Amino acid sequence: MTALTLYDPFDRMQFGPETCFLCGTPTGATDTIPVFPGWLQQRYNLTNKQLQFLDKSIITYPDLTIPCCVVCREQHVQPLEEKIENAHDQGVAGFKALEQKDIFLWLSKIFYGILVRELLNEKNPLIMPEHAVGENPKMFIKFQAFYKLLQALRVPVVFDDFTPYSLFILETAETDDTVPFEYRDELSTMMFSIKMGRVVLICCLLDNGLLQQALNRVYVTIKDKPLHPVQVAEFTARAYYAAYLLNIIPEYFERKASPTDNFFTYDTLIDDITMDIFNPWENSAYAKVLEEMWKKWQITREQILNNPQEPMTMLYDETGALRNIVSFPPIV
């Protein structure tokens, strides 16, 4: 039996085109995969569309690639892409039927591809980013822990009695849903969200399920109901702001494998258990995030904080019941 091995590109900062992103083996110029898979680009006409990085550089979706050896591409990435593509074609029900770990690994693969490009851009001597993510020790620890989780795409990994991520699956209602595809990421909080048709996936990639617990009271009221896009945007704002408040960085350790083991078992540890898990919620700061999420509806921070003690919500009415929003703004 082939011995199990883990790879860590952060050990020697190996992010260039000559090394497979998943296993570290040497790669050639043609050994690449698109960060956003080809099937996704085709379905949402992304081939000529652009995305922008933190340094303001622009790239088209097809040009955003990551090095990947033949073995990892054919044995690990492609089978995962087929699972996600099949789920996508079945809509929300397809994603809810999938093992959540597969969705997490797919989102993580995209997130990591974007992260690698950001790190490589920071090495450009002509670019002087104001806040270089690769030079932040706290972020470096986060990225290294995150990558250890991503290794589950390549080698069998069992998370022992914990879930390393928080995943929310939402559905948009057809009314007023004019944006077929969009994505958002936040490197510092390890947040990633993507909208594909009526499916919205929101994930904190490194929190041991703490956001899932914190937002569960809201999530259980909306997870089985189609929501107006303005409502999806509000929940997204809550998730992104909650991730910003998260005050811990989980660590992961692989147990020593015996010669007969064909999988790794990961244990987790939160280093400083004396700290509060979340920093205090501040409505003024939350309103800033919500204003950004609601930008397309031109809802201002002043409107959101009309009552500073209870920020505006499109999810619930005055009685606390879930709103049924058919159109926004309402048609009079």
Side-chain angles (χ1 to χ4, degrees), residues 4-20:
L4 292 173
T5 59
L6 294 172
Y7 169 61
D8 180 8
F10 291 89
D11 185 36
R12 297 183 181 178
M13 301 300 282
Q14 296 173 305
F15 307 114
E18 67 284 344
T19 305
C20 175

Side-chain angles (χ1 to χ4, degrees), residues 23 54 114 133 150-151 159 192 208 215 235 239 242 244 253 310:
C23 71
L54 293 175
I114 297 169
V133 294
L150 183 58
Q151 283 288 279
F159 304 126
F192 189 90
N208 281 7
L215 297 176
F235 183 80
Y244 171 76
F253 307 92
E310 294 185 16

Side-chain angles (χ1 to χ4, degrees), residues 9 41 98 108 120 130 163 178 183 193 197-198 210 215 265 286 314-315:
Q41 295 184 39
L98 266 184
S108 295
L120 290 175
E130 183 178 356
T163 301
T178 60
Y183 92 92
S193 53
R198 294 178 61 187
L210 292 170
L215 297 176
T265 299
Y286 165 65
M314 295 294 173
L315 284 172

